[in-house]
Amino acid sequence: MADEELHETNAHDQEDWQNQVETTDEAAEVADASAADKTAAEDYGIPMDKVEAVLNATADKAALTPQMQRMMQRQAENTRRVEESIKGTKSNPRWFVPLFCTFMIIGLIWAVVYYLTGNYPIPGIDAWNLAIALGIILIGFLMTMWWR
């Protein structure tokens, strides 16, 4: 008997039920969003469009509350501090990074050439070729410590 009751519903009844559920879900979401906007304005007593205007520094300063004027002053002070810290930052010249990368690559190539040939890049000094390769690589790595 339970199987008969389960199979008695048709596709049309099921579509109506799904439409009702979707409509009530959408209505609940809209109600929640509008309630959240109202509570945010009620909590702080300041509409969001005024806050955005203050943060974008496009507000009429005569029409602002003292709280919003303090907020604008803090925002301007923070912006000034960030700009000063950026100006005080020293940076390397543009050629610095390619130079230390080149040193490390040349040192690597020097060591690989010595291992493959056994004589070159400088014939006759044998294992000192490895010392030269490691020295060139070390120069590149030491340069990375001064990179800003």
Side-chain angles (χ1 to χ4, degrees):
M1 180 162 154
D3 291 337
E4 292 174 7
E5 289 177 8
L6 287 176
H7 295 294
E8 286 178 10
T9 60
N10 59 18
H12 181 68
D13 292 338
Q14 202 168 20
E15 286 177 9
D16 289 342
W17 177 78
Q18 287 174 346
N19 288 338
Q20 288 175 350
V21 170
E22 288 175 2
T23 336
T24 54
D25 287 346
E26 291 172 1
E29 289 175 8
V30 170
D32 289 344
S34 64
D37 289 342
K38 288 179 184 174
T39 56
E42 291 170 1
D43 287 346
Y44 301 110
I46 303 169
M48 286 305 293
D49 58 339
K50 285 190 176 182
V51 172
E52 289 175 6
V54 167
L55 293 176
N56 293 332
T58 58
D60 181 21
K61 293 184 181 183
L64 296 177
T65 63
Q67 178 187 11
M68 293 181 81
Q69 288 176 352
R70 285 192 304 272
M71 189 177 5
M72 277 187 86
Q73 289 171 351
R74 274 185 262 143
Q75 183 73 18
E77 178 67 22
N78 288 342
T79 303
R80 187 187 60 75
R81 271 190 264 149
V82 167
E83 288 173 355
E84 284 178 5
S85 66
I86 290 172
K87 286 178 186 175
T89 305
K90 295 179 181 177
S91 64
N92 295 107
R94 300 187 78 172
W95 50 265
F96 193 78
V97 174
L99 182 66
F100 74 71
C101 289
T102 303
F103 273 127
M104 289 188 281
I105 291 170
I106 288 174
L108 178 67
I109 291 172
W110 192 294
V112 168
V113 166
Y114 172 72
Y115 272 120
L116 291 178
T117 63
N119 247 353
Y120 294 101
I122 301 176
I125 63 170
D126 298 324
W128 284 103
N129 277 312
L130 282 179
I132 293 171
L134 291 177
I136 293 172
I137 292 172
L138 185 64
I139 290 170
F141 276 117
L142 288 175
M143 287 179 71
T144 62
M145 289 192 298
W146 296 301
W147 180 32
R148 297 181 194 177

